[in-house]
Amino acid sequence: MALLEAIAAYDAGRPAGHHAGSLAVSTVRRMAEICGDGHSLTMETGCGKSTILFSNLSQRHLVFTFDDRAVPDSSVAYYQGCPVTRLNRVEPHFGPTQMTVPRHHFDRPIDVALLDGPHAWPFVELEYYFVYPHIRRDGWLILDDIHIPTIGQMLRTLAADPMWSLEEIAGGTTALLRRTAAPALDPLNDGWWLQGRNAAEFPSFPMDLPDLTPGETVAFRSNEPGIRHLMFGWRPAESWGCWAAAHEATIGFAWRGESGAATLRMLAKLPAPVEMALNGAVFGSLAMTPDASLQDIAALIPAGLLRPGGPNLLRFRFPEPVWTESLPRWILGIAVGELTIEA
């Protein structure tokens, strides 16, 4: 397609390392091949190569994005400067999408909607809420950056919903979903039980936490049953144990002992100080361990904190986590190989 070749040539002529129009040309090509042309109304949050594309595929294309033309690597200037952009078909709505999308009145059904604006949770979900009722049957929803965990979770929810059919994942990070004939979820009511993921996965973890008995040692190594206790804030388990890689990390268990005082023992290493809490009550802290290997660590759990038979949440909080350089976006708070609670 001559249009895609023109977009690729324009992008190749940009300065090395520029981020404007960050979608890969190959992904834009698949979007064009799958979604087709001749559309009446398309929209997107964010802008770039996709804006150039949709200005040629649609009679009217709505763009919800910040006006960043004052910065050198401007995405708005990127699409406006491309010679094949049909600017007369582009309708920009400048400002934070958290405000501009909810305020917009969609006066006709949307043929294609691309969500590629702010990526922090819950902003993509907010955009989706105000857009999905307007996407026509057989229309398209494109969700970018699904490798970000919260957006990946959103895709899992959508892909299991009868409203959507997941047609392709382009470039490994961009999902293309087609609107089915199923009725739209009422945006002003409820119906969580009608959604596929809720039906398939109910009840959700941690409704049924695994047991922990006094003196029992659980291992957090990969393929060990103990990893079922790892709830939130943990990296995937490795052969030696598991890293906490968030500002907080939680271990859950159903305690099969009494509520008296107990001793928490761990095989762990701490690159940063750790605050410990059980069921919301802080009961101690641990200092950074200078040795890089796993070490035996013990702490006293006061009487009354353990809940016999019920769910117990052991939380580690890291006031000063270590940001890694070799693994971007990782933070390290504690590494745990084994855990025992002795009554």
Side-chain angles (χ1 to χ4, degrees), residues 74-310:
S74 167
S75 294
V76 174
Y78 175 85
Y79 83 76
Q80 290 184 340
C82 181
V84 295
T85 302
R86 296 190 177 187
L87 292 172
N88 61 313
R89 297 183 177 185
V90 178
E91 183 180 305
H93 296 266
F94 292 131
T97 64
Q98 298 93 325
M99 297 179 65
T100 56
V101 174
R103 286 196 302 233
H104 186 77
H105 172 67
F106 293 97
D107 56 6
R108 69 185 74 172
I110 299 171
D111 297 309
V112 185
L114 166 62
L115 302 185
D116 190 20
H119 295 90
W121 185 89
F123 302 140
V124 184
E125 285 87 345
L126 184 148
E127 294 174 353
Y128 173 78
Y129 174 80
F130 287 99
V131 168
Y132 86 83
H134 305 286
I135 300 176
R136 65 167 175 81
R137 178 178 174 178
D138 291 327
W140 293 92
L141 172 67
I142 304 176
L143 189 62
D144 193 33
D145 293 306
I146 59 173
H147 59 301
I148 297 174
T150 50
I151 301 178
Q153 286 297 319
M154 180 178 173
L155 173 62
R156 290 183 175 91
T157 300
L158 294 175
D161 195 290
M163 288 174 54
W164 300 105
S165 172
L166 177 60
E167 299 297 314
E168 181 163 335
I169 295 178
T173 59
T174 305
L176 290 90
L177 301 105
R178 191 155 201 174
R179 182 68 172 87
T180 69
L185 179 72
D186 186 344
L188 300 179
N189 206 326
D190 200 352
W192 65 264
W193 56 91
L194 303 174
Q195 295 177 306
R197 189 175 182 190
N198 286 331
E201 299 180 18
F202 182 86
S204 176
F205 187 82
M207 297 296 291
D208 186 19
L209 293 173
D211 292 347
L212 181 63
T213 58
E216 176 187 2
T217 297
V218 292
F220 304 115
R221 297 181 287 269
S222 56
N223 300 319
E224 292 274 1
I227 62 176
R228 295 182 300 128
H229 293 276
L230 300 174
M231 294 178 60
F232 313 117
W234 302 94
R235 292 288 303 173
E238 302 180 49
S239 60
W240 54 267
C242 191
W243 272 111
H247 288 280
E248 292 186 358
T250 304
I251 291 174
F253 57 92
W255 179 239
R256 297 307 174 188
E258 302 298 325
S259 61
T263 300
L264 170 67
R265 297 191 180 278
M266 295 185 294
L267 191 61
K269 58 182 175 181
L270 295 85
V274 176
E275 175 190 88
M276 297 179 295
L278 183 61
N279 299 321
V282 176
F283 66 88
S285 60
L286 300 172
M288 179 176 61
T289 54
D291 198 312
S293 60
L294 296 173
Q295 301 180 43
D296 291 314
I297 296 172
L300 176 66
I301 300 176
L305 295 189
L306 285 164
R307 297 171 178 167

Side-chain angles (χ1 to χ4, degrees), residues 13 47 73 80 98 172 278 312 320 329:
C47 63
D73 200 14
Q80 290 184 340
Q98 298 93 325
L278 183 61
N312 287 261
E320 300 176 5
R329 298 185 177 90

Side-chain angles (χ1 to χ4, degrees), residues 7-28:
I7 295 174
Y10 173 68
D11 191 62
R14 304 291 292 175
H18 74 96
H19 300 290
S22 58
L23 277 175
V25 172
S26 58
T27 299
V28 174

